[in-house]
Amino acid sequence: MLRGIPQGGSHAENLQGFYSAQADDYDRFRERLLRGREQLIARLVAQLPPQARIVELGGGTGRNLDFFGERLHDVASFDLVDLCPALLDRARARIARHPQVRMIEADATTWQPDTPVDCVYFSYSLTMIPDWRAALANALAMLKPGGLLGVVDFYTSAARPAAGLVRHNAFTRRFWPRWFGHDGVRLDPAHLTLLCELLAQHQLSEHRAAVPYLPLVRVPYYVFVGQRFGAE
């Protein structure tokens, strides 16, 4: 982790090189850092139809499956998509209990399910995808009309954010992109701006969370759920 994410290979190779040595402890390391995941899943579950079809893009170890609780038994299909074999290996024990869950090693920017789905979400994965615009376009393309797109992730605001969005101070806007950039996490104000533009009907909450070993600072994150209509 101290060396940061490798550079020079493909995105898949860099992810495997970074996470293979820490995969066994991945969830424990990040449990106190990745806030808002349970809140995102609760918002999605409250709006999902019975026998929903769900896709998680960048699903990693499958930790988010646990947040669905008993509602996971009412899901018709759940595709957990990730590029990193080391993290997917950690997901195997979780999905063994749920025959409707499939683990798929694939690129979030290009993989598509066989039929349109009711819900697609990114949990701290959008900032890890270099071509994040392609990932969002791909996510919208696989949604049924009326389907849900959810995102929870770190971010920093623009210097002059759109009306209604939180404005962060200069320290926040400079510090966190540098801090997370070491691990290949790309904080970009354009993520949240584009989400709001693409999905005009949405729920959005902006928060700050404590960071382990950095008691004096709090990192911004957001929870977004939007609904796709027509040809947005």
Side-chain angles (χ1 to χ4, degrees):
M1 291 179 68
L2 293 176
R3 293 197 305 268
I5 195 165
Q7 303 294 326
S10 68
H11 185 48
E13 291 168 341
N14 293 340
L15 289 173
Q16 180 69 2
F18 184 57
Y19 288 119
S20 57
Q22 53 174 300
D24 289 348
D25 294 308
Y26 179 91
D27 290 328
R28 181 171 61 84
F29 287 160
R30 288 162 175 78
E31 200 66 32
R32 290 186 296 157
L33 179 62
L34 306 183
R35 303 299 179 88
R37 294 178 294 170
E38 188 170 7
Q39 183 179 358
L40 173 67
I41 301 305
R43 290 184 185 181
L44 294 172
V45 164
Q47 301 177 63
L48 286 174
Q51 292 294 293
R53 292 172 53 82
I54 302 173
V55 172
E56 180 177 2
L57 294 176
T61 66
R63 170 67 176 99
N64 293 317
L65 293 172
D66 299 337
F67 295 124
F68 282 86
E70 292 300 313
R71 184 61 192 273
L72 193 57
H73 298 298
D74 187 44
V75 170
S77 69
F78 194 120
D79 291 330
L80 193 155
V81 181
D82 202 281
L83 260 182
C84 182
L87 296 183
L88 289 173
D89 283 345
R90 303 304 304 163
R92 295 187 192 282
R94 285 192 172 100
I95 71 167
R97 305 191 300 271
H98 305 290
Q100 75 278 40
V101 180
R102 296 192 305 166
M103 201 169 58
I104 300 168
E105 184 181 335
D107 191 328
T109 67
T110 57
W111 179 84
Q112 281 278 319
D114 297 333
T115 59
V117 300
D118 299 285
C119 173
V120 183
Y121 71 92
F122 299 83
S123 173
Y124 290 97
S125 58
L126 192 62
T127 49
M128 293 290 296
I129 301 173
D131 194 354
W132 60 271
R133 292 178 186 272
L136 282 181
N138 193 43
L140 288 173
M142 67 180 74
L143 276 178
K144 296 177 180 178
L148 302 173
L149 176 65
V151 184
V152 58
D153 217 325
F154 301 120
Y155 81 116
T156 53
S157 76
R160 294 180 177 83
L165 298 182
V166 171
R167 181 182 184 274
H168 298 140
N169 62 34
F171 171 81
T172 296
R173 299 197 310 270
R174 293 171 184 167
F175 176 77
W176 290 115
R178 288 172 173 78
W179 174 270
F180 283 108
H182 176 73
D183 290 343
V185 179
R186 303 165 181 84
L187 274 58
D188 188 336
H191 292 182
L192 188 53
T193 301
L194 183 59
L195 282 167
C196 293
E197 291 174 355
L198 289 172
L199 298 166
Q201 184 166 324
H202 62 260
Q203 298 172 280
L204 169 66
S205 56
E206 300 179 68
H207 311 270
R208 284 186 182 255
V211 178
Y213 314 116
L214 293 176
L216 299 181
V217 292
R218 297 172 69 82
V219 61
Y221 72 95
Y222 65 91
V223 181
F224 177 97
V225 175
Q227 195 163 17
R228 180 187 185 275
F229 290 105
E232 289 174 311

